[in-house]
Amino acid sequence: MKLLIVDDHKVVRDGIRRLVEGTTITAIEEAETPSEALAQFRKMRPDVTILDINLKNGSGLDVLRRLRADDPKAKVVIFSMYSDVVYAVSARREGALGYVSKSAQSDELLVALERAMAGETYVDSETAGLMKEHTSRETGISDLTRRELQILHMLGDGKSLSEIAEGLGVAYKTVANTSTRMKEKLGVERTSDLVRFALETKGGRMLEGGN
């Protein structure tokens, strides 16, 4: 089995190499950036790709879309620092077969690789637990558009609507209207509720204080 590891931290890539020693993996290549990831993918045509969400000069989810556009049969396991329901749902929507938090037990990554090789899905136990907690809203998350998910991520990172508008290069009213649609889909009433939900689904972290 050929494996491509896409992560911008060498210590992580080295750790994965050690983890898969003695398995059926016979060839391993690495990449740090989105452009390197796509180049290595096209050169190697790996059986499975392990892909971080946070990369130098880009997003792992964007890389996932590009890999799947290049090869719709690409088997990808997202390896993220977050046990994040929103990211997990986004990754699944974009075609990832696995989602594993870097805080999960190492054997869960091996399970995810095995499942991916078989064309099956896998979510690590911590993230799966959070998804179960929020089952009532998971349908709402799945209904969010790519831009709405992006705004939800940014709210979870502490950005205000004004800062989000500036960061996306759009009018404040556009972001405000989008947040209104998001509230309807997620069944919440206020922007602060959106922030709270974004934080709750990021590794179980809660917003402290406020409404």
Side-chain angles (χ1 to χ4, degrees):
M1 180 172 79
K2 296 180 292 183
L3 175 68
L4 174 61
I5 304 170
V6 184
D7 195 292
D8 57 359
H9 292 92
K10 188 176 186 301
V11 66
V12 174
R13 301 195 304 272
D14 289 346
I16 294 174
R17 280 182 174 272
R18 289 191 295 271
L19 180 65
V20 301
E21 286 179 358
T23 67
T24 58
I25 294 171
T26 57
I28 300 176
E29 293 294 341
E30 302 178 8
E32 293 187 18
T33 66
S35 58
E36 287 178 5
L38 189 58
Q40 286 286 17
F41 181 84
R42 288 172 172 168
K43 176 182 177 181
M44 184 188 195
R45 292 300 173 185
D47 296 297
V48 180
T49 299
I50 295 177
L51 175 62
D52 189 12
I53 281 184
N54 298 312
L55 296 172
K56 291 180 180 178
N57 307 320
S59 161
L61 292 178
D62 288 336
V63 173
L64 173 58
R65 284 189 284 271
R66 293 170 67 184
L67 296 185
R68 295 276 298 171
D70 190 76
D71 180 3
K73 295 182 179 180
K75 297 174 179 177
V76 179
V77 173
I78 296 294
F79 194 39
S80 170
M81 66 183 293
Y82 298 118
S83 300
D84 190 323
V85 176
V86 178
Y87 276 129
V89 171
S90 298
R92 184 171 59 187
R93 173 183 291 179
E94 299 297 343
L97 289 175
Y99 188 96
V100 179
S101 165
K102 290 180 179 178
S103 63
Q105 296 295 318
S106 58
D107 61 349
E108 294 208 67
L109 183 56
L110 291 176
V111 171
L113 289 174
E114 292 173 359
R115 294 280 184 85
M117 272 301 299
E120 301 172 355
T121 60
Y122 182 81
V123 177
D124 73 85
S125 55
E126 183 180 0
T127 306
L130 287 170
M131 293 178 77
K132 187 175 181 180
E133 281 183 35
H134 297 282
T135 298
S136 61
R137 287 182 183 165
E138 188 179 344
T139 300
I141 295 176
S142 299
D143 287 341
L144 296 181
T145 65
R146 187 175 296 169
R147 176 49 63 89
E148 288 168 347
L149 285 166
Q150 185 178 19
I151 290 174
L152 191 60
H153 293 321
M154 296 175 79
L155 286 170
D157 288 336
K159 302 291 186 183
S160 67
L161 295 185
S162 296
E163 290 171 330
I164 292 172
E166 182 178 354
L168 297 178
V170 299
Y172 172 86
K173 185 176 180 180
T174 299
V175 176
N177 289 340
T178 302
S179 70
T180 298
R181 291 194 298 272
M182 292 164 63
K183 293 171 196 173
E184 293 173 353
K185 292 179 180 180
L186 294 173
V188 300
E189 297 181 356
R190 296 164 294 188
T191 300
S192 59
D193 295 326
L194 282 179
V195 175
R196 184 182 298 277
F197 180 70
L199 289 171
E200 286 175 348
T201 54
K202 270 194 171 185
R205 289 176 290 174
M206 296 290 292
L207 180 66
E208 296 179 359
N211 294 316

